[in-house]
């Protein structure tokens, strides 16, 4: 069986088959009429700046999508924040890219939503270890998209093994409750000892301590069992059982410290959000964030023709004419017609991505992450919005 999970193959995306049916009918109609106008189309979420910023990503896949097509493409840099105006511009004969619109928007919309949510989590605990634990909430075929978006937003790592292979990064993680169940209640020490003996020395010894008994008791038992080899404890108690989670963490910290184990870190996971992280960031050392990232709303991008055969055009509710976007010194996002002067001291953000079907930009994830965090600071991105 060549396609056991029924996923759309890469070939269908590149050939334009991963599209909405009306684009195929548009092609048939235009070819029948002998029409293929030269157009400029722009991808936008909001026409004017709103003051509420999102992270732009997915552009690497877009470049691959347009490679070999007779078009020019400009786009924001990977990791740039935006709050209105075009994030990407395509110019060329319309039938060169008509069927690619559906995939183009998909490549941008969902990853940008993931990255924006990951940035919220990152800034909720800027000085803590924050990992992406959300791969189990999405289709396996897009897990590398989730984890790349998380890294771009500044998260310190992720858990998915196959995504690590694609991204050439080492996944992290220690033990699930299933491991503890396999040893049974009262045998937690055996589970932790077996883990310590089985895994490589490079794997942190972080014991899961909320399976059978209260978190304090299991934490102290883990410290006694593994001694100086214990790096940390993980509390994954579900929200329905936590009570005062901050108090639980402070109690665990107190009891560990009372026994001279100030070196043992406390790591928290289990349905965490920026709102639940903020009250914990001064008492916990790290966080695993899952559904907040993978459950993020996609950014509602659309592609619209704004110029046809050199003349501005738009549908109702959209702005005609080729546009440029700028980052102003005060961190603002300014939109203007491309043939007019931009704001004083403003930096134009759209950069060449594809020229005559050739990709003209390189993609470095670490640089994109640095850009994302720097731009978040520049625009005053507020993770509590």
């Amino acid at each position: 069986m060549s396609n056991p999970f029924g996923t759309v193959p890469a070939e269908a995306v590149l050939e334009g088959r991963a599209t909405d049916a009306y684009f195929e009918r548009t092609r048939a109609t235009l070819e029948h009429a002998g029409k293929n106008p030269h157009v400029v189309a722009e991808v936008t979420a909001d026409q004017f700046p709103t003051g509420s910023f999102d992270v732009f990503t997915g552009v690497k896949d877009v470049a691959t999508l347009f490679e070999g097509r007779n078009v020019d493409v400009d786009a924001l840099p990977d990791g740039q924040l935006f709050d209105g105006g075009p994030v990407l511009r395509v110019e060329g004969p319309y039938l060169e890219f008509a069927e690619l619109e559906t995939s183009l928007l998909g490549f941008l919309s969902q990853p940008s939503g993931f990255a924006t949510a990951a940035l919220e989590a990152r800034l909720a605990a800027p000085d803590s270890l924050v990992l992406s634990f959300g791969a189990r909430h999405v289709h396996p075929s897009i897990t590398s998209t989730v984890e790349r978006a998380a890294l771009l937003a500044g998260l310190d790592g992720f858990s998915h093994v196959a995504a690590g292979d694609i991204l050439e990064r080492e996944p992290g993680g220690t033990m699930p409750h299933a491991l503890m169940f396999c040893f049974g209640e009262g045998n937690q020490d055996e589970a932790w000892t077996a883990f310590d003996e089985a895994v490589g020395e490079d794997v942190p010894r972080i014991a899961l301590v909320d399976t059978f008994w209260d978190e304090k008791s299991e934490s102290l038992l883990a410290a006694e069992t593994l001694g100086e080899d214990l790096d940390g404890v993980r509390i994954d108690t579900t929200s329905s059982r936590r009570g005062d989670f901050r108090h639980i963490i402070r109690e665990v910290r107190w009891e560990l410290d009372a026994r001279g184990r100030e070196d043992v870190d406390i790591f928290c996971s289990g349905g965490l959000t920026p709102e639940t992280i903020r009250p914990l960031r001064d008492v916990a050392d790290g966080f695993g964030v899952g559904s907040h990232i993978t459950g993020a709303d996609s950014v509602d991008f659309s592609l619209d023709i704004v110029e046809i055969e050199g003349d501005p055009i738009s549908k109702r509710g959209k702005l005609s004419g080729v546009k440029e976007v700028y980052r102003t010194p005060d961190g603002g996002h300014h939109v203007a017609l491309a043939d007019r002067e931009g704001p004083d001291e403003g930096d134009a953000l759209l950069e060449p991505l594809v020229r005559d079907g050739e990709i003209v930009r390189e993609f470095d994830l670490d640089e994109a992450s640095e850009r994302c965090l720097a731009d978040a600071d520049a625009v005053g991105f507020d993770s509590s919005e």
Side-chain angles (χ1 to χ4, degrees), residues 25-37 95:
R25 289 156 191 165
T26 295
R27 171 176 288 279
T29 302
L30 290 175
E31 288 179 342
H32 172 77
K35 291 183 176 293
N36 187 19
L95 291 181

Side-chain angles (χ1 to χ4, degrees), residues 88-240:
L88 183 141
R89 182 169 61 223
V90 186
E91 180 173 1
Y94 179 60
L95 291 181
E96 279 291 311
F97 65 92
E99 294 99 334
L100 301 184
E101 179 174 334
T102 305
S103 294
L104 161 65
L105 296 176
F107 277 138
L108 298 177
S109 296
Q110 194 169 29
S112 294
F114 291 152
T116 302
L119 181 61
E120 293 171 350
R122 171 72 280 169
L123 296 183
D127 300 318
S128 303
L129 181 73
V130 182
L131 303 177
S132 172
F133 280 3
R136 65 186 58 195
H137 301 135
V138 298
H139 195 285
S141 63
I142 67 164
T143 49
S144 63
T145 299
V146 174
E147 308 301 29
R148 186 184 189 280
L151 294 179
L152 180 141
L155 266 62
D156 299 290
F158 56 84
S159 62
H160 200 271
V161 175
D165 295 338
I166 293 171
L167 298 172
E168 298 182 343
R169 303 292 178 96
E170 189 69 25
T174 54
M175 63 187 69
H177 289 102
L179 176 66
M180 308 305 296
F181 296 153
C182 289
F183 282 84
E185 183 176 1
N187 302 315
Q188 293 96 312
D189 57 339
E190 295 180 20
W192 298 323
T193 299
F195 177 88
D196 182 43
E197 294 171 349
V199 303
E201 293 182 1
D202 59 323
V203 177
R205 270 50 180 174
I206 299 179
L208 186 59
V209 294
D210 66 346
T211 307
F212 298 111
W213 306 338
D214 71 79
E215 296 85 353
K216 179 183 71 173
S217 298
E218 290 202 7
S219 294
L220 295 180
L221 179 59
E224 179 183 345
T225 300
L226 296 184
E228 295 301 318
D229 290 336
L230 181 66
D231 295 303
V233 296
R234 178 164 72 95
I235 302 175
D236 190 56
T237 306
T238 59
S239 58
S240 63

